[in-house]
Amino acid sequence: MPKPILSYTYDKNDTTLLELVQRHVGAVETTADTISFMMNNKATLNEEIVAQLNALSSTHKILSHGVGLSIGSYSGYSEAYLALMDELYQEVPLYWHSEHLGYTTVDGENINVMLPVNRNDECLAMICKRVEQIQKRYPIPFLLENIAHLLPDYNCIYSEAEFLNAIVRNTGCGLILDVYNIACDVHNFGFNMDDFLAKLNLDAVKEIHLANGSIYKDKMMDIHSRAVSEDVLQKTKEIIPSLKNLEFVTYELMPEAIPSMGYVAIEQELIRIKNTLEL
Amino acid sequence: MDTKTYQENILFMLKHPGVLPDEADVYLKELKDSVELEVTRDISIWWRTVQIEKYCVLTSNYLKKKQCFDEEVRQFYLQTNVSPYIEVMAMQFYDYLLITTTDNLLHSLAAFEKYLIKIKRGEVIEYEVQWQYEPYAILDMLLQNKDLKPEPFTGNYTTFMASYLEDHFEVIPQDELL
Ligand SMILES: [Fe+2]
């Protein structure tokens, strides 16, 4: 089994950071929504970042990881996101692309936060149909990520693992396992991580996400602002041997957190993750 | 509730703190005053705060000095379909302030910053904003992070803004316009 490759989020035009991190990672993960800006009522990718990703693609894998698809909105996913994804797909050689299993808009109105879908047959059919449409549109693998739950479950007949397994079974898509998001669910809702992992189709997991946030009103928040906690890192180390199709481990850090964390700490964090997980 | 009704109700409750939608079930009744809903709303407002303070520097600094920045962003979020794109969100925030504020200095400042951005983007060629304070003194307080004491600088001024001006604007005392 080849070793998984360390990857890092690259969403900000920062060549100093890019030069620094590319020595430690074999892939970068970019978010089409974040590297784009609105001009004349149309979202457009930042040309400089696209050029940097293109140059990097000769030595590193480029992964796309969206936030604005809103695959779980009952009224339909975001065509604006797909237009950006079309552009990114045309401009940059992508290894695969992924999104979150959630919704960020309702009737076209932004809720400005990611919320989970209700795990029932209505949503299962809706999600699977959309995954298949996306798979037809882009002939590269598509992955879905488990998100941190902010609200209590409603009208769920499937467990988290059963729901993800059913999507994988029906569509053949892959999964991103965000270990920090699970840790948030454990902290916020008493979610049982071991039970989830025991029931999840681990063969579908092709990527792991690592991140850290902060506690607010006693809730652990999925913010991507800090070094990974020792708990999450050790849990990840424990899980990795059972993920036989795992290809990437991505350290997620939002662009807004780069100045406060600093280049040195980011580099040290990448080295720490790489050494601990033997990537 | 089916998915459509559920998602519409969640949106409604995020935007209307403490209010229940029609025909709310037990889940929604329990959710109304829950910490989970409050945290969800706070996070989504917090993200807007981070983006707005970085992009709308002058207006954000002014609101912070008046200790009402967080509340204004909160009200803006509750009343607006906020775009995820800061380029659009910033314009929505200025428009919200221009409609809602009774503070004439904030009104001038928000209009000034809004059109300065539009001129730099090439969306507008010329624009004029009226002030009841001397604009340079106000801008100095905000950019140098000095105490906000506008009272000694009252007077009628116009900022004439244009893409072809070196600094994109000039200050004209009203006397000179007469
Ligand atoms: Fe993630």
Side-chain angles (χ1 to χ4, degrees):
Chain A
M1 190 170 90
K3 277 187 179 183
I5 293 168
L6 181 61
S7 146
Y8 175 75
T9 45
Y10 186 67
D11 290 330
K12 189 184 175 191
N13 189 357
D14 186 338
T15 46
T16 311
L17 179 67
L18 189 59
E19 270 175 37
L20 190 94
V21 300
Q22 66 178 285
R23 296 202 289 267
H24 303 286
V25 303
V28 294
E29 190 163 90
T30 194
T31 299
D33 325 67
T34 313
I35 64 165
S36 63
F37 59 99
M38 195 60 92
M39 197 171 65
N40 302 325
N41 290 326
K42 188 180 176 291
T44 311
L45 297 176
N46 178 314
E47 280 177 17
E48 287 177 38
I49 298 180
V50 167
Q52 290 157 14
L53 292 171
N54 254 319
L56 193 66
S57 69
S58 59
T59 50
H60 291 64
K61 299 272 192 293
I62 312 294
L63 315 175
S64 162
H65 182 57
V67 291
L69 174 64
S70 201
I71 197 167
S73 290
Y74 79 88
S75 53
Y77 52 47
S78 166
E79 288 297 337
Y81 170 78
L82 289 183
L84 272 180
M85 185 56 206
D86 288 347
E87 201 184 331
L88 187 65
Y89 182 75
Q90 272 176 11
E91 301 280 332
V92 179
L94 299 175
Y95 187 72
W96 66 38
H97 71 127
S98 60
E99 248 292 352
H100 302 82
L101 181 55
Y103 65 100
T104 57
T105 63
V106 177
D107 281 335
E109 179 152 2
N110 299 293
I111 48 176
N112 307 102
V113 73
M114 183 84 67
L115 294 177
V117 295
N118 303 332
R119 299 184 307 274
N120 53 37
D121 286 320
E122 184 196 5
C123 288
L124 180 63
M126 177 181 87
I127 297 290
C128 290
K129 191 174 154 205
R130 293 174 182 179
V131 169
E132 282 162 2
Q133 287 166 348
I134 289 163
Q135 287 169 326
K136 276 190 195 128
R137 188 161 173 152
Y138 308 105
I140 51 173
F142 178 65
L143 285 68
L144 278 174
E145 173 184 345
N146 63 297
I147 68 168
H149 291 60
L150 288 166
L151 298 177
D153 285 349
Y154 179 77
N155 195 10
C156 290
I157 61 164
Y158 297 108
S159 70
E160 189 79 22
E162 286 168 342
F163 196 69
L164 290 167
N165 290 349
I167 297 171
V168 168
R169 197 167 49 241
N170 294 350
T171 67
C173 78
L175 296 178
I176 294 179
L177 187 68
D178 189 313
V179 184
Y180 177 65
N181 285 350
I182 308 174
C184 287
D185 284 352
V186 171
H187 180 94
N188 298 339
F189 294 99
F191 186 72
N192 188 329
M193 190 186 305
D194 291 331
D195 184 56
F196 167 71
L197 293 170
K199 289 175 179 156
L200 187 69
N201 175 0
L202 297 178
D203 290 353
V205 177
K206 299 189 174 160
E207 182 175 349
I208 278 181
H209 272 181
L210 293 175
N212 200 356
S214 48
I215 304 281
Y216 172 73
K217 294 186 179 174
D218 200 33
K219 299 290 174 193
M220 199 186 263
M221 296 192 301
D222 175 24
I223 296 285
H224 306 171
S225 55
R226 295 160 56 210
V228 180
S229 75
E230 195 55 32
D231 284 1
V232 166
L233 200 55
Q234 287 308 322
K235 189 71 194 173
T236 307
K237 189 176 181 178
E238 196 184 307
I239 301 167
I240 284 181
S242 48
L243 306 176
K244 65 178 190 220
N245 295 315
L246 181 69
E247 293 189 54
F248 300 97
V249 174
T250 301
Y251 171 50
E252 295 187 289
L253 190 72
M254 63 176 184
E256 289 82 357
I258 295 169
S260 58
M261 190 150 166
Y263 295 144
V264 174
I266 293 171
E267 186 174 26
Q268 282 171 351
E269 183 60 1
L270 291 171
I271 295 169
R272 172 177 167 248
I273 294 170
K274 201 170 179 176
N275 290 343
T276 308
L277 303 181
E278 296 168 29
L279 304 176
Chain B
M1 275 182 285
D2 60 8
T3 303
K4 177 181 189 303
T5 315
Y6 172 79
Q7 292 186 357
E8 285 172 348
N9 283 336
I10 294 297
L11 173 67
F12 177 87
M13 290 174 77
L14 282 170
K15 297 283 186 163
H16 300 85
V19 183
L20 272 177
D22 294 340
E23 296 174 34
D25 65 2
V26 179
Y27 174 91
L28 295 178
K29 283 177 185 162
E30 282 178 6
L31 192 66
K32 181 173 75 104
D33 299 315
S34 68
V35 68
E36 286 82 6
L37 185 67
E38 189 181 303
V39 166
T40 303
R41 189 186 296 116
D42 287 353
I43 291 173
S44 98
I45 295 170
W46 177 78
W47 278 110
R48 303 324 113 205
T49 306
V50 169
Q51 289 176 294
I52 288 170
E53 71 184 346
K54 235 172 79 183
Y55 201 86
C56 312
V57 177
L58 294 170
T59 305
S60 299
N61 279 355
Y62 179 82
L63 292 170
K64 281 183 199 169
K65 287 181 186 298
K66 301 281 276 187
Q67 294 179 331
C68 57
F69 178 60
D70 290 341
E71 183 54 26
E72 287 291 6
V73 176
R74 181 182 165 84
Q75 290 303 323
F76 164 65
Y77 168 82
L78 295 176
Q79 296 174 35
T80 315
N81 177 6
V82 180
S83 168
Y85 282 95
I86 184 58
E87 298 83 10
V88 179
M89 187 198 305
M91 295 301 132
Q92 292 178 308
F93 185 58
Y94 294 128
D95 290 341
Y96 156 80
L97 292 173
L98 291 171
I99 290 166
T100 56
T101 189
T102 53
D103 173 344
N104 64 49
L105 177 48
L106 175 59
H107 197 279
S108 301
L109 189 66
F112 173 75
E113 193 169 35
K114 174 184 170 181
Y115 282 94
L116 200 58
I117 292 170
K118 280 183 163 290
I119 282 171
K120 285 181 183 171
R121 284 187 199 163
E123 293 170 8
V124 171
I125 295 172
E126 292 179 348
Y127 198 77
E128 281 185 9
V129 175
Q130 312 305 322
W131 298 69
Q132 293 176 24
Y133 296 90
E134 203 284 295
Y136 281 128
I138 303 298
L139 297 179
D140 183 57
M141 287 172 209
L142 297 172
L143 293 171
Q144 303 301 323
N145 203 19
K146 295 175 182 170
D147 288 347
L148 186 69
K149 288 180 178 155
E151 294 76 17
F153 301 98
T154 53
N156 292 320
Y157 296 86
T158 297
T159 42
F160 175 69
M161 307 155 77
S163 53
Y164 47 81
L165 293 174
E166 197 180 341
D167 295 328
H168 295 117
F169 75 97
E170 59 189 24
V171 173
I172 306 169
Q174 192 147 41
D175 303 349
E176 288 182 22
L177 291 173
L178 297 174

